[in-house]
Amino acid sequence: MAVNQQTAEELIDLVFRLQRELRCVAQRSSDPRGPGTALQAVMRMIGEETELRATELAVKLGIGAAGLSRHISELVELGYVLRRPHPDDGRAYLISLTPAGAQAVAEEMQRRSTLLKQMLGDWTEDEAAAASHSLAKLTETLHHSIRAMKPGTTQMPIPAGDQN
């Protein structure tokens, strides 16, 4: 059975509220001597790959090339990111975390997860695992669905068997 409009709207509202609260958790647990929340997000995305093109990273982050360039320049200057010319494409750069960048990401995750664990003190492990499972399923569904859409459209493709 399909999800109804009201439930879809409630999910959108809850996801936006969750994003706001997670930003608060990130800000509260941040090391004021380290990179800010926006730069930490960029570092996390870089850390998910061994090395990636700047253009791929911009798409993953949903930001423009100019904004990403400023973030990368700052992270390179701080010693958290390495930027090198792409060996097969002279116009492109490959980006990766330095050991200091990987350590900063790991430390930030430790701080955030410690704070979140404290905040969830009255949750059971089963409740936390169920929430994690639901969020993972939602994230995976959205990931695959958005990539199935044609660029510039807001409509999902009709599965081959459903066309009449």
Side-chain angles (χ1 to χ4, degrees):
M1 184 171 178
V3 173
N4 70 43
Q5 185 71 22
Q6 181 179 350
T7 302
E9 289 174 7
E10 287 173 7
L11 272 171
I12 289 170
D13 182 55
L14 288 168
V15 167
F16 279 116
R17 289 173 52 196
L18 178 61
Q19 286 175 316
R20 284 192 304 269
E21 297 308 323
L22 286 174
R23 275 194 298 274
C24 291
V25 169
Q27 290 171 345
R28 221 18 104 86
S29 61
S30 273
D31 180 352
R33 298 163 295 160
T37 306
L39 292 180
Q40 291 168 16
V42 173
M43 290 170 60
R44 282 186 58 109
M45 290 292 252
I46 295 169
E48 290 176 1
E49 308 283 336
T50 304
E51 191 172 53
L52 73 162
R53 286 173 172 252
T55 52
E56 293 171 312
L57 181 58
V59 169
K60 284 183 173 202
L61 289 167
I63 63 175
L68 177 65
S69 180
R70 285 189 296 275
H71 287 323
I72 296 301
S73 292
E74 189 171 348
L75 289 168
V76 167
E77 188 175 310
L78 291 169
Y80 293 129
V81 167
L82 177 65
R83 176 178 40 198
R84 70 179 184 92
H86 193 290
D88 301 326
D89 183 352
R91 300 166 299 156
Y93 287 93
L94 293 174
I95 299 168
S96 60
L97 290 179
T98 63
Q103 181 178 346
V105 168
E107 289 171 357
E108 192 62 33
M109 176 57 93
Q110 180 66 38
R111 279 191 299 278
R112 287 182 188 183
S113 63
T114 297
L115 180 57
L116 186 61
K117 185 178 170 191
Q118 292 169 2
M119 291 173 163
L120 299 179
D122 62 343
W123 285 43
T124 66
E125 180 62 25
D126 287 344
E127 288 171 326
S132 181
H133 175 75
S134 293
L135 288 172
K137 183 176 181 179
L138 177 61
T139 301
E140 191 67 19
T141 298
L142 295 177
H143 175 83
H144 289 296
S145 296
I146 200 72
R147 280 151 187 80
M149 296 170 67
K150 290 183 181 175
T153 67
T154 59
Q155 298 295 316
M156 289 292 301
I158 299 169
D162 292 347
Q163 295 176 354
N164 287 329

